[in-house]
Amino acid sequence: RKEVEQDPGPFNVPEGATVAFNCTYSNSASQSFFWYRQDCRKEPKLLMSVYSSGNEDGRFTAQLNRASQYISLLIRDSKLSDSATYLCVVNMGGGGFKTIFGAGTRLFVKA
Amino acid sequence: DVKVTQSSRYLVKRTGEKVFLECVQDMDHENMFWYRQDPGLGLRLIYFSYDVKMKEKGDIPEGYSVSREKKERFSLILESASTNQTSMYLCASSFGEERTDTQYFGPGTRLTVL
Protein backbone atom coordinates (compact mmCIF):
# COMPACT_ATOMS: atom_id res chain seq x y z
CA ARG A 1 0.00 0.00 0.00
CA LYS A 2 1.33 3.44 -0.89
CA GLU A 3 2.01 5.80 2.00
CA VAL A 4 -0.02 8.54 0.33
CA GLU A 5 -2.72 7.67 -2.17
CA GLN A 6 -4.71 9.86 -4.48
CA ASP A 7 -7.17 9.18 -7.25
CA PRO A 8 -5.18 10.11 -10.36
CA GLY A 9 -8.31 11.27 -12.21
CA PRO A 10 -8.63 13.02 -14.52
CA PHE A 11 -11.56 14.94 -13.17
CA ASN A 12 -13.30 16.75 -16.01
CA VAL A 13 -15.69 19.43 -14.74
CA PRO A 14 -17.46 22.43 -16.28
CA GLU A 15 -16.69 25.97 -15.19
CA GLY A 16 -18.60 26.87 -12.06
CA ALA A 17 -18.75 23.31 -10.73
CA THR A 18 -17.71 22.20 -7.29
CA VAL A 19 -15.13 19.43 -7.19
CA ALA A 20 -13.57 17.54 -4.30
CA PHE A 21 -10.44 15.44 -4.03
CA ASN A 22 -9.48 13.07 -1.27
CA CYS A 23 -6.11 11.79 -0.24
CA THR A 24 -5.43 8.95 2.21
CA TYR A 25 -2.27 8.41 4.19
CA SER A 26 -1.10 5.26 5.90
CA ASN A 27 1.01 6.48 8.81
CA SER A 28 -1.02 7.64 11.78
CA ALA A 29 2.04 9.49 13.16
CA SER A 30 1.97 11.96 10.26
CA GLN A 31 2.10 15.49 11.59
CA SER A 32 1.52 18.05 8.89
CA PHE A 33 -0.35 18.10 5.64
CA PHE A 34 -0.40 20.23 2.53
CA TRP A 35 -1.92 20.58 -0.89
CA TYR A 36 0.40 21.63 -3.71
CA ARG A 37 -0.62 22.60 -7.20
CA GLN A 38 1.41 21.67 -10.27
CA ASP A 39 0.66 23.14 -13.67
CA CYS A 40 1.63 21.25 -16.79
CA ARG A 41 5.41 21.23 -17.24
CA LYS A 42 5.89 23.45 -14.20
CA GLU A 43 7.13 22.94 -10.67
CA PRO A 44 4.82 22.21 -7.71
CA LYS A 45 3.77 25.21 -5.65
CA LEU A 46 2.14 25.30 -2.26
CA LEU A 47 -1.61 25.80 -2.50
CA MET A 48 -2.49 25.55 1.18
CA SER A 49 -1.67 23.87 4.45
CA VAL A 50 -4.25 21.58 6.04
CA TYR A 51 -5.09 21.91 9.70
CA SER A 52 -7.19 19.78 12.00
CA SER A 53 -9.72 22.57 12.23
CA GLY A 54 -9.88 22.86 8.47
CA ASN A 55 -8.98 25.96 6.56
CA GLU A 56 -10.42 28.01 3.76
CA ASP A 57 -8.79 30.29 1.22
CA GLY A 58 -11.28 31.87 -1.11
CA ARG A 59 -12.83 29.13 -3.22
CA PHE A 60 -10.59 26.45 -1.73
CA THR A 61 -11.30 24.51 1.45
CA ALA A 62 -8.99 21.89 2.92
CA GLN A 63 -9.88 19.50 5.71
CA LEU A 64 -8.12 16.84 7.72
CA ASN A 65 -9.72 13.74 9.20
CA ARG A 66 -7.16 12.11 11.49
CA ALA A 67 -9.45 9.30 12.57
CA SER A 68 -9.91 8.10 9.02
CA GLN A 69 -6.48 9.28 7.89
CA TYR A 70 -7.48 11.36 4.93
CA ILE A 71 -7.33 14.95 3.80
CA SER A 72 -9.59 16.63 1.31
CA LEU A 73 -9.59 19.61 -0.99
CA LEU A 74 -12.80 21.25 -2.14
CA ILE A 75 -12.82 23.74 -5.00
CA ARG A 76 -15.97 25.79 -5.45
CA ASP A 77 -16.96 27.73 -8.57
CA SER A 78 -14.21 26.13 -10.66
CA LYS A 79 -12.32 28.36 -13.08
CA LEU A 80 -10.49 27.39 -16.25
CA SER A 81 -7.30 28.45 -14.48
CA ASP A 82 -7.84 25.78 -11.82
CA SER A 83 -6.87 23.13 -14.37
CA ALA A 84 -3.76 21.53 -12.91
CA THR A 85 -2.53 18.53 -10.97
CA TYR A 86 -3.11 18.69 -7.22
CA LEU A 87 -0.55 16.96 -5.03
CA CYS A 88 -1.28 15.78 -1.53
CA VAL A 89 1.76 16.08 0.77
CA VAL A 90 2.24 14.47 4.16
CA ASN A 91 5.07 15.22 6.60
CA MET A 92 6.18 12.99 9.42
CA GLY A 93 7.97 15.78 11.26
CA GLY A 94 9.79 14.99 14.45
CA GLY A 95 13.49 14.27 14.68
CA GLY A 96 13.88 12.72 11.28
CA PHE A 97 12.74 14.00 7.94
CA LYS A 98 10.04 12.35 5.91
CA THR A 99 7.90 14.12 3.38
CA ILE A 100 5.75 12.03 1.10
CA PHE A 101 4.17 13.41 -2.05
CA GLY A 102 1.14 11.79 -3.56
CA ALA A 103 1.20 11.10 -7.28
CA GLY A 104 -1.40 13.80 -7.85
CA THR A 105 -4.96 14.24 -9.06
CA ARG A 106 -5.41 15.82 -12.44
CA LEU A 107 -8.20 18.36 -12.89
CA PHE A 108 -9.50 19.73 -16.18
CA VAL A 109 -12.00 22.56 -16.03
CA LYS A 110 -13.88 23.05 -19.30
CA ALA A 111 -15.65 26.12 -20.63
CA ASP B 1 9.93 35.96 -3.39
CA VAL B 2 11.88 32.78 -2.96
CA LYS B 3 13.80 31.86 -6.01
CA VAL B 4 15.15 28.40 -6.73
CA THR B 5 16.97 28.02 -10.01
CA GLN B 6 18.25 24.94 -11.78
CA SER B 7 21.09 24.94 -14.26
CA SER B 8 19.22 23.43 -17.20
CA ARG B 9 15.59 22.95 -18.22
CA TYR B 10 16.37 20.17 -20.68
CA LEU B 11 19.36 17.87 -20.87
CA VAL B 12 20.21 14.94 -23.13
CA LYS B 13 23.06 12.63 -22.15
CA ARG B 14 24.40 9.26 -23.20
CA THR B 15 24.55 6.11 -21.11
CA GLY B 16 27.66 6.07 -18.95
CA GLU B 17 28.21 9.81 -18.93
CA LYS B 18 28.69 11.68 -15.66
CA VAL B 19 25.92 14.24 -15.23
CA PHE B 20 25.84 17.29 -12.96
CA LEU B 21 22.60 19.03 -12.07
CA GLU B 22 22.95 22.29 -10.18
CA CYS B 23 20.47 24.05 -7.94
CA VAL B 24 20.76 27.47 -6.34
CA GLN B 25 18.41 29.17 -3.88
CA ASP B 26 18.57 32.79 -2.86
CA MET B 27 16.66 32.78 0.45
CA ASP B 28 19.30 31.49 2.84
CA HIS B 29 17.31 28.29 3.37
CA GLU B 30 18.82 25.61 5.56
CA ASN B 31 17.31 22.62 3.79
CA MET B 32 17.67 21.59 0.19
CA PHE B 33 16.27 18.56 -1.61
CA TRP B 34 16.55 16.65 -4.84
CA TYR B 35 13.54 14.73 -6.16
CA ARG B 36 12.72 12.90 -9.32
CA GLN B 37 9.20 12.88 -10.69
CA ASP B 38 7.88 10.10 -12.88
CA PRO B 39 4.33 9.57 -14.18
CA GLY B 40 2.17 7.67 -11.71
CA LEU B 41 4.88 7.64 -9.04
CA GLY B 42 4.82 11.20 -7.82
CA LEU B 43 7.89 12.89 -6.40
CA ARG B 44 10.48 10.63 -4.86
CA LEU B 45 13.23 11.98 -2.64
CA ILE B 46 16.75 11.19 -3.79
CA TYR B 47 18.85 13.13 -1.24
CA PHE B 48 18.46 16.05 1.06
CA SER B 49 20.78 18.36 2.93
CA TYR B 50 20.06 20.29 6.12
CA ASP B 51 23.35 22.16 6.28
CA VAL B 52 26.52 22.81 4.35
CA LYS B 53 28.46 19.59 3.78
CA MET B 54 25.65 17.59 5.41
CA LYS B 55 23.57 15.16 3.41
CA GLU B 56 21.17 12.33 3.99
CA LYS B 57 19.85 9.66 1.69
CA GLY B 58 16.25 9.80 0.65
CA ASP B 59 14.18 6.95 -0.68
CA ILE B 60 16.04 6.30 -3.94
CA PRO B 61 19.71 7.35 -3.59
CA GLU B 62 21.20 4.52 -5.66
CA GLY B 63 23.12 5.77 -8.66
CA TYR B 64 23.22 9.35 -7.35
CA SER B 65 25.45 11.46 -5.16
CA VAL B 66 25.19 15.05 -3.98
CA SER B 67 27.39 17.92 -2.95
CA ARG B 68 26.68 20.95 -0.82
CA GLU B 69 29.80 23.07 -0.45
CA LYS B 70 27.91 26.34 -0.05
CA LYS B 71 24.60 26.99 1.64
CA GLU B 72 22.89 28.27 -1.48
CA ARG B 73 24.00 25.52 -3.84
CA PHE B 74 23.08 21.83 -3.94
CA SER B 75 24.35 19.64 -6.74
CA LEU B 76 23.07 16.26 -7.88
CA ILE B 77 25.53 13.97 -9.62
CA LEU B 78 24.74 10.94 -11.71
CA GLU B 79 28.02 9.04 -11.62
CA SER B 80 27.26 6.92 -14.69
CA ALA B 81 23.96 7.81 -16.30
CA SER B 82 21.60 5.00 -17.23
CA THR B 83 18.41 5.00 -19.26
CA ASN B 84 16.30 4.36 -16.15
CA GLN B 85 17.47 7.72 -14.84
CA THR B 86 15.53 9.48 -17.58
CA SER B 87 13.16 11.64 -15.56
CA MET B 88 12.18 15.10 -14.39
CA TYR B 89 14.50 16.25 -11.60
CA LEU B 90 13.22 18.84 -9.17
CA CYS B 91 15.23 20.73 -6.61
CA ALA B 92 13.57 22.31 -3.59
CA SER B 93 14.53 24.31 -0.54
CA SER B 94 12.92 25.11 2.78
CA PHE B 95 13.69 27.15 5.83
CA GLY B 96 13.41 25.90 9.37
CA GLU B 97 14.56 23.39 11.88
CA GLU B 98 11.41 21.36 11.93
CA ARG B 99 11.94 20.21 8.38
CA THR B 100 8.23 20.40 7.87
CA ASP B 101 8.17 23.84 6.36
CA THR B 102 6.92 24.71 2.93
CA GLN B 103 9.19 23.54 0.16
CA TYR B 104 9.91 25.87 -2.75
CA PHE B 105 10.72 24.18 -6.00
CA GLY B 106 12.91 25.05 -8.93
CA PRO B 107 11.53 24.79 -12.48
CA GLY B 108 12.91 21.28 -12.96
CA THR B 109 15.38 19.65 -15.32
CA ARG B 110 14.03 17.13 -17.79
CA LEU B 111 16.86 14.67 -18.30
CA THR B 112 16.89 12.15 -21.14
CA VAL B 113 19.53 9.43 -21.11
CA LEU B 114 20.00 7.72 -24.47
Side-chain angles (χ1 to χ4, degrees), chain A residues 38 44 87 101-103, chain B residues 35-37 41-45 90 105:
Chain A
Q38 186 172 24
L87 308 177
F101 285 78
Chain B
Y35 294 90
R36 62 178 283 177
Q37 186 175 30
L41 297 178
L43 275 77
R44 293 180 290 166
L45 183 64
L90 287 157
F105 285 85

Side-chain angles (χ1 to χ4, degrees), chain A residues 21-23 33 35 48-56 61-66 70-74:
Chain A
F21 311 134
N22 278 345
C23 164
F33 308 86
W35 284 101
M48 59 199 308
S49 302
V50 188
Y51 306 116
S52 297
S53 55
N55 55 315
E56 189 172 316
T61 301
Q63 295 205 310
L64 166 64
N65 185 316
R66 283 194 183 271
Y70 76 85
I71 67 173
S72 63
L73 178 68
L74 181 78

Side-chain angles (χ1 to χ4, degrees), chain B residues 44-61:
Chain B
R44 293 180 290 166
L45 183 64
I46 304 171
Y47 268 97
F48 72 96
S49 169
Y50 52 89
D51 202 351
V52 174
K53 296 191 187 294
M54 305 302 288
K55 61 185 179 185
E56 286 197 26
K57 294 179 180 179
D59 299 316
I60 50 165

Side-chain angles (χ1 to χ4, degrees), chain A residues 29-81:
Chain A
S30 300
Q31 294 196 3
S32 56
F33 308 86
F34 306 88
W35 284 101
Y36 277 69
R37 170 195 170 125
Q38 186 172 24
D39 293 306
C40 188
R41 299 187 182 279
K42 300 273 189 167
E43 71 273 23
K45 292 183 180 178
L46 178 69
L47 178 65
M48 59 199 308
S49 302
V50 188
Y51 306 116
S52 297
S53 55
N55 55 315
E56 189 172 316
D57 183 4
R59 298 180 292 108
F60 298 83
T61 301
Q63 295 205 310
L64 166 64
N65 185 316
R66 283 194 183 271
S68 301
Q69 293 182 205
Y70 76 85
I71 67 173
S72 63
L73 178 68
L74 181 78
I75 306 175
R76 289 180 297 278
D77 189 23
S78 299
K79 311 290 184 194
L80 294 176
S81 58

